[in-house]
Amino acid sequence: MRPVNTPWKGSEMSSCFKIFKNLYRDSVSLMQVSARISKLPGVAQASVAMGTEANRAQLRDAGLGDAAGAGPNDLIVAVAGDEDACELALSTAADLLSSVEEADSAACNAKAAVVSLQAMLEAEPATNLALISVPGDYAAAEAEKAIRLGMNVMLFSDNVSLQQEKAVKTLARERRLMVMGPDCGTAIVNGMPLGFANVVRRGAIGLVAASGTGLQEVTCRIDQLGAGVSQALGTGGHDLHEEIGGISMLHGLDALIEDAQTRVIVLVSKPPAQAVAEKILARARAAGKPVVVNFLGAEPALIERWGVHVASTLADAAERAVALLKDVPPAINDDAREVAAREALVERRSQLAPRRRYIRGVFAGGTFCYESQLICQRQGIVAFSNTPIKGNHPLDNVWQSTAHTLVDMGDDAFTRGRPHPMIDPTLRNERIVAELRDPETAVVLFDLVLGYGAALEPAAELTTLIGDASRTGNDLPLLIAHVCGTDADPQNRNHQIHALREAGVLVANCNAQAAYWAAYVANLQKAE
Amino acid sequence: MAGGILTALSIGYLVPQMLQQPIHFMTHSRFRHAINLVSDDVGMMALLGAASGNAPKAIRLNLPTDWDWRRLSGDRRVTWGNGVLLGHGWSVDVRQASLWSPQRDGIQELREPAPRTLDKLAQVLGTHSREQRSCNLSSVFVGSLSLGWNGLSATSSPALCEERVRAWIGCGPGLTPSGDDYLLGYLAALWPWQRHPDLTSHLECVRELLKKYMCGTTDISRFYLGQAVEGHFSESIHDLIDAVIRHATDEETSALAADVMNHGATSGADAMAGILGGLRTVASVFHRRWSGSDEPSMPCPQETYGMATHEARDASCKHTMERQ
């Protein structure tokens, strides 16, 4: 190692480098090392590059020293920053480079990297499902490849046109295969969670859903009620569009009808096109098994006449399915949700200033936002939203709430260039804090979505922020939440609920209950 | 992890002529699912995992899921004879492997690359670039090409070509530096149109410069560039160029571009940038669409290091621009 003192932006900073003779590491490993050391405190610049003449010249020009002793096949690690930080960075790099092999090997033991579908089939000929998550431009072509190779497809990607979706699904139907998606975020197939799925026990209730968080809510509620899930199949949000014709939901429904493990079937979607709904309900009527249908916001009578069981909310769908499975009446009804907590709500609401009149819903789950709007509307509350249901109003500025506002923070406007709030809740938490500070907010209504792929400690940062807000001495609005998940999830639902309650949040059993509570409080404030 | 008898899935079309007689190889470098062998007689040859695409001087193997070449220590010698590669604790029987050879049948006349295809490739490269940037993996070649920059053109003078090639060889991050990957892609794109009167001399110029300066880069990069100057490219690159020639659908072209870009940390994207640059050069001789200036600007080479901070990157770029 050769330390070199180099002036940098007016202050005395060190730069130094280390040459690793004839060291070959793949590019991904080199990038990982570079990223790790560049994030160390006090490191201003870091470079990990092969010692070619061109790279040595670049290092010299960048003030990172003259690694004249390096040859093209040597690896140079060069850093600039505080002297101690540079020393630490070089020793860290040395450790990482020597441990890359072990780290990679561990990963390799878990699962070999596969970069093409054909290669996957060559390695594992029994493979019959491809999970595709690539930018939307490539997604349809990759899905078509998988189908032609005889695989079912879970298409995590979004930004696939209806035309492409129809082509892919038609091809799959011809080959008796299923396409889950596009924009299918969750599924459970033969007990294997895919995407943002939760850890639920296996059982006899099968689901087909055109809504990701809707499917999560129903499966989690089933688990909470002591039953289990045979299969949970996603279709993507556009499947029940007239142009697609519900191809995937029909395939999924048929699969569950044929599946001996499945004794009760649940279908979840926003209201489909009428012709599509009739096709699906006709098939459901002939299923030979009880079918619970939750077409969020659809007129119950129009569904009921097909001889299926109508659920008014996601949680209600789970409760009805479990009741059918156990051959008992449903354990709870919608009215009871509100009454159960009325006393606590009245007591907490009595501390609210009269100017606090509005619900501010901040959701990570798009379907939770949709269902909450429906429930609030049924309670006479017309709201603004970035994804308004019929009868509600679009927000002029999605970053700014007005009157009653319920926002889906997973919508494109908030996730362009950023992770989804289920993965990184930072932006969602900032919005919650902003709503807490608004003197007109009566209730901040929100969700925490747990499961594979979701943030590991979603309540931690949020409760800290709530604590900070409460220490300002100002009165705060009510906080009402629900946690979608199970105790077996990596985040442990019970642990998250406990953290929220410790921070003063009222935690409902399900999204519908949380929305009822919020509407109840808002209506009390309005009456005053 | 135990060694064992490995199954060869396919062999590249240049492998049979390398393995015509018994040979003693040495292990040059080992990665998790790839190993490079080298011999004084036939040069370098790669053994790749099944997940990799085919390459002219490579053998694709079906490796056990827990396989890691780096964990096979000991004797670095590998011998070839009677259809079997024999290493310390492992062997590969290639006699049942299929031969991969690129096909370009049925194309009688080379048309210009479709403008919409170039736009599409720029778009997918731009998307990829933004995603890479979010992981601090952005390369100046990828970012610049997606925005319309082209470093070489058919009208570039030999002196300018030499300046560029000399500056880019061995330049940038990765085991195969970004500049090398870019040049490889550039050459691949030009290759099918090598007989076009406006491209012949430019292609020949770039080839000769690569031969002249490739000694300045890593052994592994030189291995691939050495094949490129003779017109030999990997399956994924070949398939993409073929799709461009056939005027394939946007969906097919995009998917094949993704296959190219999925290679390595930035190598695939840098090669894709080179392909796009090369195709723009080809298009320019048909329509002068991209030629614009005889002296295209240089990208900021420091950025190929993926500097640790934006400030540092900006400072370095500014310095380079001023130096020009």
Side-chain angles (χ1 to χ4, degrees), chain A residues 348-387:
Chain A
R348 295 285 289 273
R349 175 258 162 188
S350 67
Q351 296 160 24
L352 287 178
R355 68 177 185 281
R356 293 193 175 276
R357 287 177 297 160
Y358 298 124
I359 298 172
R360 298 292 161 78
V362 185
F363 296 92
T367 305
F368 296 148
C369 183
Y370 190 94
E371 185 181 58
S372 297
Q373 288 186 67
L374 286 170
I375 288 168
C376 287
Q377 205 177 61
R378 281 183 209 144
Q379 307 303 309
I381 292 171
V382 176
F384 289 82
S385 177
N386 58 329
T387 54

Side-chain angles (χ1 to χ4, degrees), chain B residues 128-151:
Chain B
H128 189 85
S129 171
R130 285 190 292 278
E131 287 166 2
Q132 281 190 318
R133 202 173 298 132
S134 68
C135 307
N136 289 324
L137 291 177
S138 183
S139 151
V140 66
F141 291 102
V142 174
S144 303
L145 259 291
S146 64
L147 295 173
W149 169 89
N150 217 22

Side-chain angles (χ1 to χ4, degrees), chain A residues 241-261:
Chain A
H241 190 281
E242 199 154 14
E243 193 164 337
I244 308 298
I247 293 175
S248 293
M249 185 162 277
L250 287 166
H251 184 105
L253 180 55
D254 285 344
L256 293 181
I257 291 169
E258 288 172 19
D259 178 27
Q261 300 293 315

Side-chain angles (χ1 to χ4, degrees), chain A residues 392-416:
Chain A
N392 279 357
H393 309 300
L395 280 167
D396 287 336
N397 176 2
V398 298
W399 301 94
Q400 179 67 50
S401 296
T402 178
H404 296 294
T405 296
L406 290 89
V407 287
D408 170 12
M409 298 294 291
D411 193 43
D412 289 350
F414 297 108
T415 55
R416 207 168 285 130

Side-chain angles (χ1 to χ4, degrees), chain A residues 299-354:
Chain A
E299 181 57 50
L302 295 176
I303 301 171
E304 221 154 22
R305 66 190 172 89
W306 291 89
V308 297
H309 301 265
V310 185
S312 57
T313 65
L314 296 165
D316 189 35
E319 284 147 14
R320 285 177 189 276
V322 173
L324 286 163
L325 188 69
K326 294 179 176 174
D327 200 18
V328 295
I332 196 165
N333 61 50
D334 289 337
D335 293 337
R337 291 186 207 288
E338 179 203 318
V339 174
R342 185 166 292 174
E343 279 185 22
L345 291 171
V346 168
E347 193 268 322
R348 295 285 289 273
R349 175 258 162 188
S350 67
Q351 296 160 24
L352 287 178

Side-chain angles (χ1 to χ4, degrees), chain A residues 8-9 22-32 34-35 37-39 43-62 64 71-75 100-116 118-120 122-124 134-138 140-142 144-145 161 164 417, chain B residues 9 28-33 50-53 60 62-68 70-71 120 123-125 127-128 131 135-137 166-177 215-220 222 250-252 254-259 261-262 264-267 301-302 304-309 311-312 315-316 319-320 323:
Chain A
W8 180 261
K9 292 190 176 174
N22 285 311
L23 185 72
Y24 298 102
R25 290 286 181 264
D26 64 76
S27 298
V28 176
S29 302
L30 298 182
M31 290 293 184
Q32 286 169 343
S34 177
I37 62 172
S38 66
K39 285 179 186 164
V43 172
Q45 278 192 85
S47 178
V48 178
M50 300 304 289
T52 60
E53 189 182 332
N55 281 347
R56 295 199 309 270
Q58 300 298 343
L59 292 176
R60 277 197 303 274
D61 289 348
L64 287 169
N73 295 309
D74 302 331
L75 184 68
V100 156
E101 183 168 332
E102 289 307 313
D104 284 357
S105 297
C108 162
N109 287 338
K111 184 88 182 160
V114 174
V115 296
S116 80
Q118 182 68 49
M120 183 71 240
E122 285 175 0
E124 299 285 347
V134 297
D137 285 341
Y138 323 123
E142 289 298 316
E144 188 179 326
K145 269 191 221 169
S161 69
Q164 288 174 318
Chain B
L9 295 169
H28 174 274
S29 45
R30 283 189 289 222
F31 306 91
R32 189 196 302 164
H33 288 153
S52 300
R60 283 174 65 243
N62 195 2
L63 298 171
T65 51
D66 64 346
W67 189 266
D68 190 336
R70 297 167 301 188
R71 299 177 112 190
K120 189 69 189 174
Q123 183 195 337
V124 298
L125 190 64
T127 303
H128 189 85
E131 287 166 2
C135 307
N136 289 324
L137 291 177
R166 189 176 176 183
W168 294 342
I169 282 272
C171 181
L175 190 59
T176 55
C215 59
T217 192
T218 66
D219 289 351
I220 294 171
R222 199 162 61 243
D250 283 356
E251 287 75 19
E252 185 185 357
S254 298
L256 291 169
D259 287 345
M261 290 190 292
N262 280 337
T266 59
S267 291
Q302 270 88 349
T304 60
Y305 281 108
M307 288 294 187
T309 67
E311 283 178 332
S316 301
H319 168 69
T320 306
R323 199 177 51 180

